[in-house]
Amino acid sequence: GAVVSQHPSRVICKSGTSVKIECRSLDFQATTMFWYRQFPKQSLMLMATSNEGSKATYEQGVEKDKFLINHASLTLSTLTVTSAHPEDSSFYICSARSGVQGARETQYFGPGTRLLVL
Amino acid sequence: GENVGLHLPTLSVQEGDNSIINCAYSNSASDYFIWYKQESGKGPQFIIDIRSNMDKRQGQRVTVLLNKTVKHLSLQIAATQPGDSAVYFCAENIKGRRALTFGSGTRLQVQP
């Protein structure tokens, strides 16, 4: 299957600081990338859809000014958690999808980034 | 919105037995389904997929069954091994949505 990488895999930061997480599709071009958040023992919660060359689409309840998404190229999307607080501590996972919209498109996931805000 | 499971149901099986993990989906407009395996601290890993015009699809040691009448999806794992221990999620592609919609997940524990 396709390979998606994330960096960093783990980050610890102080409350009030900003953290950037990178998501890369290594062997295919991803016109669309997705950012999920997962709390312990829960399913994946979609935060936003990242579109190459345009603004991200955020799910209801997700603050776009707090979770900044940039999809600068067909292989890179970044999520910046601004002014992080302890309640933002979570497992952040990106996924990438390629192909023509409407056709079958499998989402491939990155390995996730564990964020701990002290 | 997305499904969020507050408490993951757990399926415990003996090594070598067959496992069946079930998933109910909600949207009749879903046309594509995927099973993912997620090990602790890792991202979901693609296992097998099936389109809505199919009832069954087989892979290596895994079979996915789709019953559109009752909106039910199952994952069968043959000869379950300790390495199969993980959380399994079903996901559906709802027409008109770009992101997959995830089920709440099932934890599979394989007893040696």
Side-chain angles (χ1 to χ4, degrees):
Chain A
V3 179
V4 177
S5 70
Q6 274 183 249
H7 178 79
S9 59
R10 184 185 295 266
V11 58
I12 301 173
C13 69
K14 293 182 178 179
S15 184
T17 60
S18 295
V19 175
K20 180 185 283 188
I21 303 171
E22 292 186 349
C23 177
R24 294 180 185 273
S25 57
L26 298 184
D27 53 359
F28 67 103
Q29 292 183 330
T31 54
T32 305
M33 290 184 171
F34 306 92
W35 286 96
Y36 292 82
R37 180 167 51 184
Q38 186 177 34
F39 293 105
K41 298 185 179 180
Q42 293 192 17
S43 187
L44 284 72
M45 295 177 58
L46 180 66
M47 299 175 65
T49 300
S50 174
N51 307 296
E52 188 270 335
S54 64
K55 292 182 178 180
T57 304
Y58 290 82
E59 294 298 298
Q60 191 172 8
V62 178
E63 300 175 56
K64 63 179 181 180
D65 294 330
K66 180 169 182 63
F67 298 99
L68 301 179
I69 291 173
N70 187 303
H71 195 153
S73 74
L74 287 171
T75 59
L76 173 64
S77 175
T78 61
L79 169 68
T80 301
V81 183
T82 63
S83 187
H85 292 284
E87 57 265 29
D88 297 325
S89 298
S90 188
F91 193 50
Y92 291 87
I93 312 172
C94 74
S95 73
R97 200 171 193 181
S98 65
V100 177
Q101 188 171 0
R104 190 183 77 181
E105 301 171 45
T106 299
Q107 276 185 232
Y108 295 97
F109 286 84
T113 296
R114 176 76 59 192
L115 171 63
L116 176 61
V117 185
L118 302 177
Chain B
E2 306 299 323
N3 290 319
V4 176
L6 295 180
H7 299 285
L8 288 175
T10 298
L11 173 65
S12 185
V13 300
Q14 291 292 321
E15 181 179 359
D17 288 351
N18 296 332
S19 303
I20 300 176
I21 301 171
N22 297 303
C23 176
Y25 65 94
S26 57
N27 200 309
S28 57
S30 298
D31 59 359
Y32 174 53
F33 304 86
I34 308 175
W35 279 101
Y36 288 94
K37 171 187 180 184
Q38 187 178 28
E39 296 174 282
S40 181
K42 297 182 180 180
Q45 177 186 0
F46 173 89
I47 302 175
I48 191 169
D49 58 0
I50 187 169
R51 301 195 73 169
S52 59
N53 60 356
M54 301 172 67
D55 297 323
K56 178 180 180 179
R57 190 159 188 234
Q58 287 184 294
Q60 187 176 14
R61 280 202 308 119
V62 295
T63 301
V64 55
L65 298 177
L66 175 62
N67 185 329
K68 294 180 289 294
T69 303
V70 295
K71 297 189 181 66
H72 183 268
L73 193 69
S74 69
L75 176 70
Q76 300 179 1
I77 303 174
T80 314
Q81 303 168 0
D84 295 327
S85 294
V87 177
Y88 290 80
F89 293 98
C90 66
E92 59 183 308
N93 179 74
I94 301 174
K95 285 182 181 178
R97 294 207 68 188
R98 302 182 75 180
L100 296 173
T101 300
F102 279 80
S104 56
T106 298
R107 181 177 301 281
L108 176 65
Q109 292 181 339
V110 182
Q111 307 297 329

